[in-house]
Amino acid sequence: MDLDSILSQLNTADEEESEKLLLQYNRENSLTFKFEQREETLRSKLCQSVLTVLGRQVRPSCQKTCLETLRILSRDKHVLSPVATREGMLILGRMAKLQTGEEAGDNQKNSQGDSRSDEEERVVVEALKCLCNVVFNSPAAQQVSVEVELAQGLCNNLRTAGTWSHEVGLFTLRLLFLLSALRADLRGVLKKEWDAVKLLTEVLEHTLEVRWVGPYEAAPPDPQSLCMPAEDNDRAMEALKALFNLTLSYTRGEEDDHQFRLIVAILRHLLMQKTETEEKTEEAHSHSVNLLNNLPVSCLDVLIDLPIQGGQEKYGGKNMDAVQVLLDFMEKRIDKQGSNYKEGLTPVLSLLTEGSRHHREIRRYIKAQVLPPLKDVMIRPEIGSAVRNKLVRLMTHVDMGVKQMAAEFLFVLCKESVDNLLKYTGYGNAAGLLVARGLLAGGRGETQYSEDEDSDTEEYKTAKPFINPITGHVEEPMPNPIEEMSEEQKEYEAQILFNMFEELSRQNMIRPMGVRPDGTLAPLEETLCDPNAGDSGLDSD
């Protein structure tokens, strides 16, 4: 049926006829996601007509059909002007049971006292889906949502999360995520006025069935229990995404510190769980890592400080299970073919780097897994399938952010000691980091670390004098190409080489560089003229 016919009949149709007309439209367009531009005006008029029907007192089945039509139409961002109005958003908010102010308090009592029928429940779900589409596709609707305090209604509903059906919970959380993502100015209001961080934390706690055995210690998942259901995982992911938006910037206080530690404890519980599929588990780990990156690094001690469950004696009795999960996740992301390293890998590298920098036990544990004592020094550091080899390969990645993050991670594991880093990576792989840090002449970074030293293996000590510092491994001896040359031939080849360098330098294709005493690069003529250059401790010809 064409839109002209539907619109002409809707104007005079009663409730039952309107429902039949829209049901037919829904059946024909349920899988339509691209619409013809020439019918934009007609679809916009249909939006207005559907809102007019919803504004009347119609039965739930008719409301559900109207909302399904609006959900289909809301896939087209060019026809939403009738919906993105105060009246349109209030109608959808009322259908979704998102009341604000005193009305919200009354609605809470009613929603707790009276159970909805299945049909009424479908109306709420369809209204929430419509709101998600409209808010996502219309900046005007986003502004109106702020004006009618839609987010307050969502936060009021979070207080009754225990009574939700799956879909109501899922789309309530998704709408809160969209509003907090698209309206940065709303985040502060959500945190300060409506306690959204605390409410979302409670939703996570309820969804994941956290059972506390200590101040920030959740009971470990029962090994015999079933995997976390996919529906629970989906709701938890939406809550994590909304929490990520709200914690992007924070003003830390004593109360915040408690809240952040509680979140870290819940995230640790989530990291230790498995879902029905490998993909869902990886998604849970990814969102957990993203949120952990937003929280103060001092709160990461909650990941390992588990008095009741205990840990390994050599790491101060700390429990490193969650850290191992993060390491495994990092390696999976490195191995993932065709993945976007910048989005998929750098967050977990950043988390592990900062955790290692500020928590000694975390650094020591990760160092033992990633950079164990060297034994085989006959192979280049970037060759092989060990985690160290994979990370060293990333040190020369084409993406500058990935390259810097991988190098920084290894540098922190080496307690920011240039000598230790070169031992594991070779000078060629580490040069980029050392130039950026001004550490070409050696030395350490500015962070203070404990005094415990690495013990070298006997194999490394024996091979150390023969290791090429550039490549980081023992090379096979190469034949000397000038061994059988006469002195005249040597002078002739040297002159050719000199002329080639001079020509390239004259054309500015290369520029001879030297190292200043502070470890930074400078043109060779400047370093030769520098009176302090001799104090750098470097050998010169």
Side-chain angles (χ1 to χ4, degrees):
M1 184 181 294
D2 61 52
L3 283 172
D4 274 320
S5 176
I6 292 175
L7 286 167
S8 62
Q9 293 181 60
L10 269 180
N11 291 333
T12 56
D14 59 18
E15 179 182 331
E16 190 173 344
E17 289 170 342
S18 297
E19 187 176 349
K20 286 180 180 177
L21 282 169
L22 294 177
L23 273 172
Q24 184 174 348
Y25 179 84
N26 296 346
R27 280 194 295 270
E28 292 173 359
N29 294 278
S30 61
L31 299 177
T32 302
F33 290 89
K34 290 186 178 180
F35 299 89
E36 293 183 25
Q37 189 175 355
R38 62 185 176 84
E39 292 186 332
E40 273 183 16
T41 305
L42 293 175
R43 287 197 301 278
S44 184
K45 288 180 179 178
L46 182 57
C47 282
Q48 184 61 65
S49 298
V50 171
L51 285 172
T52 303
V53 176
L54 283 172
R56 304 177 196 145
Q57 293 295 324
V58 293
R59 61 179 182 265
S61 64
C62 185
Q63 291 176 343
K64 173 177 164 290
T65 302
C66 289
L67 289 167
E68 284 175 348
T69 305
L70 267 185
R71 174 167 55 82
I72 292 168
L73 293 169
S74 65
R75 296 166 184 169
D76 181 1
K77 61 184 177 182
H78 301 293
V79 303
L80 295 178
S81 54
V83 189
T85 61
R86 187 179 182 86
E87 182 188 5
M89 296 301 285
L90 283 174
I91 288 174
L92 289 179
R94 192 161 57 248
M95 296 287 105
K97 305 298 182 189
L98 298 178
Q99 314 301 331
T100 58
E102 293 179 7
E103 204 176 5
D106 295 338
N107 182 63
Q108 269 188 298
K109 292 174 189 174
N110 293 336
S111 65
Q112 290 170 358
D114 302 323
S115 59
R116 300 188 192 117
S117 66
D118 289 344
E119 210 163 32
E120 290 170 331
E121 190 86 2
R122 291 310 308 167
V123 170
V124 173
V125 171
E126 284 298 330
L128 286 167
K129 287 180 179 180
C130 281
L131 282 168
C132 287
N133 280 3
V134 172
V135 166
F136 180 73
N137 283 320
S138 170
Q142 296 161 24
Q143 179 59 38
V144 174
S145 298
V146 174
E147 293 169 3
V148 301
E149 297 185 326
L150 203 63
Q152 183 184 0
L154 289 167
C155 289
N156 287 329
N157 278 14
L158 291 181
R159 302 179 197 280
T160 60
T163 65
W164 288 347
S165 68
H166 166 63
E167 284 193 299
V168 169
L170 181 69
F171 291 105
T172 298
L173 292 166
R174 184 166 296 172
L175 183 54
L176 185 60
F177 159 69
L178 288 170
L179 283 170
S180 59
L182 298 168
R183 294 292 303 219
D185 57 327
L186 198 57
R187 295 169 195 163
V189 178
L190 281 165
K191 285 186 287 187
K192 293 175 184 174
E193 295 186 19
W194 300 327
D195 234 0
V197 172
K198 182 179 178 183
L199 291 170
L200 285 166
T201 305
E202 290 171 355
V203 169
L204 266 179
E205 192 177 333
H206 170 76
T207 304
L208 300 175
E209 298 180 349
V210 176
R211 183 171 59 84
W212 298 108
V213 293
Y216 301 111
E217 184 175 359
D222 184 354
Q224 305 300 320
S225 64
L226 299 173
C227 295
M228 181 168 58
E231 288 187 350
D232 290 352
N233 185 77
D234 290 342
R235 291 199 308 279
M237 294 310 99
E238 295 300 328
L240 288 179
K241 284 153 58 178
L243 272 173
F244 174 83
N245 292 338
L246 298 181
T247 55
L248 275 171
S249 58
Y250 59 87
T251 304
R252 189 172 175 186
E254 191 174 327
E255 188 176 339
D256 291 329
D257 192 73
H258 165 71
Q259 194 64 48
F260 292 147
R261 288 178 175 276
L262 206 59
I263 293 172
V264 175
I266 294 172
L267 291 177
R268 186 193 184 280
H269 181 73
L270 178 58
L271 286 170
M272 302 311 298
Q273 288 193 325
K274 293 202 178 295
T275 59
E276 293 177 347
T277 66
E278 191 72 25
E279 292 75 18
K280 292 286 185 185
T281 300
E282 187 173 344
E283 181 189 15
H285 292 174
S286 178
H287 288 307
S288 299
V289 165
N290 291 339
L291 181 51
L292 284 169
N293 268 306
N294 282 358
L295 304 180
V297 71
S298 59
C299 296
L300 295 184
D301 59 354
V302 174
L303 288 176
I304 60 175
D305 193 9
L306 305 171
I308 294 177
Q309 296 174 48
Q312 296 168 299
E313 189 176 338
K314 62 179 177 177
Y315 298 112
K318 305 297 183 184
N319 189 309
M320 295 295 170
D321 293 347
V323 178
Q324 185 59 54
V325 170
L326 292 172
L327 279 173
D328 293 340
F329 175 72
M330 176 196 73
E331 191 169 5
K332 280 181 186 175
R333 283 295 168 96
I334 294 175
D335 293 340
K336 201 166 185 178
Q337 296 296 323
S339 64
N340 185 337
Y341 277 163
K342 194 172 186 68
E343 293 181 6
L345 179 61
T346 54
V348 68
L349 280 176
S350 174
L351 176 65
L352 293 175
T353 300
E354 292 307 306
S356 299
R357 200 193 304 272
H358 292 89
H359 298 280
R360 177 173 176 261
E361 292 84 1
I362 292 178
R363 186 195 65 78
R364 287 181 59 216
Y365 179 80
I366 295 177
K367 172 95 180 319
Q369 310 305 310
V370 175
L371 298 177
L374 280 176
K375 291 185 178 180
D376 189 353
V377 290
M378 304 300 293
I379 301 173
R380 294 170 70 107
E382 65 269 25
I383 295 175
S385 57
V387 185
R388 174 177 77 107
N389 308 131
K390 297 172 183 178
L391 286 165
V392 173
R393 286 197 289 273
L394 290 177
M395 293 175 78
T396 54
H397 195 272
V398 292
D399 188 294
M400 187 64 70
V402 174
K403 176 167 67 174
Q404 289 176 344
M405 200 68 255
E408 186 75 13
F409 177 48
L410 292 175
F411 193 44
V412 168
L413 292 185
C414 294
K415 296 190 287 189
E416 299 191 19
S417 163
V418 172
D419 289 343
N420 279 345
L421 181 67
L422 296 181
K423 179 173 79 173
Y424 288 103
T425 69
Y427 194 92
N429 292 311
L433 173 76
L434 301 183
V435 169
R437 286 270 200 141
L439 292 170
L440 282 171
R444 279 187 179 272
E446 297 177 356
T447 311
Q448 296 296 318
Y449 292 91
S450 58
E451 293 299 320
D452 59 309
E453 293 299 330
D454 300 320
S455 56
D456 292 330
T457 62
E458 289 301 320
E459 294 92 335
Y460 178 77
K461 289 177 181 177
T462 304
K464 187 176 180 180
F466 309 104
I467 293 176
N468 182 331
I470 303 299
T471 61
H473 80 302
V474 177
E475 295 181 338
E476 293 292 331
M478 301 287 289
N480 188 345
I482 65 171
E483 191 172 341
E484 297 180 1
M485 285 186 184
S486 65
E487 291 301 318
E488 290 79 5
Q489 284 177 307
K490 291 177 185 177
E491 287 183 18
Y492 176 73
E493 294 294 338
Q495 186 63 45
I496 291 175
L497 188 60
F498 173 78
N499 291 340
M500 290 168 65
F501 273 113
E502 190 176 36
E503 180 66 22
L504 289 171
S505 180
R506 217 172 19 244
Q507 296 175 6
N508 286 327
M509 296 184 69
I510 64 168
R511 190 174 189 186
M513 305 290 281
V515 182
R516 290 194 183 106
D518 63 0
T520 57
L521 286 173
L524 185 60
E525 58 270 18
E526 288 184 24
T527 58
L528 292 175
C529 296
D530 190 344
N532 298 319
D535 299 332
S536 65
L538 299 175
D539 294 334
S540 57
D541 292 331

